[in-house]
Coordinates of all heavy atoms in Angstrom, one line a residue:
V235 N 7.4 13.8 -14.8 CA 7.6 14.9 -15.8 C 6.2 15.3 -16.2 O 5.4 14.4 -16.6 CB 8.4 14.4 -17.0 CG1 8.6 15.6 -18.0 CG2 9.7 13.8 -16.6
M236 N 5.9 16.6 -16.1 CA 4.6 17.1 -16.4 C 4.5 18.1 -17.6 O 5.5 18.8 -17.8 CB 4.0 17.8 -15.1 CG 3.8 16.9 -13.9 SD 3.1 17.7 -12.5 CE 1.5 18.2 -13.1
R237 N 3.4 18.1 -18.2 CA 3.2 19.0 -19.4 C 1.7 19.3 -19.5 O 0.9 18.3 -19.6 CB 3.8 18.4 -20.7 CG 3.6 19.2 -21.9 CD 4.0 18.4 -23.1 NE 4.1 19.3 -24.3 CZ 4.2 18.8 -25.5 NH1 4.2 17.5 -25.7 NH2 4.4 19.6 -26.6
D238 N 1.4 20.5 -19.5 CA 0.0 21.0 -19.8 C -1.0 20.2 -18.8 O -2.1 19.8 -19.2 CB -0.5 20.7 -21.2 CG 0.4 21.5 -22.2 OD1 0.8 22.6 -21.8 OD2 0.5 21.1 -23.4
G239 N -0.6 20.1 -17.5 CA -1.5 19.5 -16.5 C -1.5 18.0 -16.5 O -2.3 17.5 -15.7
H240 N -0.8 17.4 -17.3 CA -0.8 15.9 -17.4 C 0.6 15.3 -17.2 O 1.6 16.0 -17.4 CB -1.3 15.5 -18.8 CG -2.7 15.9 -19.1 ND1 -3.8 15.2 -18.6 CD2 -3.2 17.0 -19.7 CE1 -4.9 15.8 -19.0 NE2 -4.6 16.9 -19.7
I241 N 0.6 14.1 -16.8 CA 1.9 13.3 -16.6 C 2.4 12.8 -18.0 O 1.7 12.1 -18.7 CB 1.7 12.2 -15.7 CG1 1.3 12.7 -14.3 CG2 2.9 11.3 -15.6 CD1 0.9 11.6 -13.3
E242 N 3.6 13.2 -18.3 CA 4.3 12.7 -19.5 C 5.0 11.4 -19.2 O 5.0 10.4 -20.0 CB 5.3 13.7 -20.1 CG 4.6 14.9 -20.8 CD 4.3 14.5 -22.2 OE1 5.0 13.8 -22.9 OE2 3.2 15.0 -22.7
Q243 N 5.6 11.3 -18.0 CA 6.4 10.1 -17.7 C 6.7 10.1 -16.2 O 6.9 11.1 -15.6 CB 7.7 10.0 -18.5 CG 8.5 8.7 -18.2 CD 9.7 8.6 -19.1 OE1 10.0 9.4 -20.0 NE2 10.5 7.5 -18.9
I244 N 6.6 8.9 -15.6 CA 7.1 8.7 -14.2 C 8.2 7.6 -14.3 O 8.0 6.6 -14.9 CB 5.9 8.2 -13.3 CG1 4.7 9.1 -13.3 CG2 6.4 8.0 -11.9 CD1 3.5 8.6 -12.6
G245 N 9.3 7.9 -13.6 CA 10.4 7.0 -13.6 C 11.6 7.4 -12.8 O 11.6 8.6 -12.3
T246 N 12.5 6.6 -12.6 CA 13.7 7.0 -11.9 C 14.5 8.0 -12.8 O 14.2 8.1 -14.0 CB 14.6 5.8 -11.7 OG1 15.1 5.3 -12.9 CG2 13.9 4.7 -10.9
P247 N 15.4 8.7 -12.2 CA 16.2 9.7 -13.0 C 16.9 9.0 -14.2 O 16.9 9.5 -15.3 CB 17.3 10.2 -12.0 CG 16.6 10.1 -10.7 CD 15.7 8.9 -10.7
A248 N 17.4 7.8 -14.0 CA 18.1 7.1 -15.1 C 17.1 6.7 -16.2 O 17.4 6.8 -17.4 CB 18.8 5.8 -14.6
E249 N 15.9 6.3 -15.8 CA 14.8 5.9 -16.7 C 14.4 7.1 -17.6 O 14.3 7.0 -18.8 CB 13.6 5.3 -16.0 CG 13.9 3.9 -15.5 CD 12.8 3.4 -14.6 OE1 12.0 4.2 -14.1 OE2 12.8 2.2 -14.3
V250 N 14.1 8.2 -17.0 CA 13.6 9.4 -17.8 C 14.7 10.0 -18.6 O 14.4 10.6 -19.7 CB 12.9 10.4 -16.9 CG1 11.7 9.9 -16.2 CG2 13.9 11.0 -15.9

Side-chain angles (χ1 to χ4, degrees):
V235 184
M236 297 181 64
R237 182 188 189 191
D238 297 333
H240 297 276
I241 295 172
E242 284 278 325
Q243 184 174 358
I244 302 173
T246 65
E249 286 169 346
V250 297

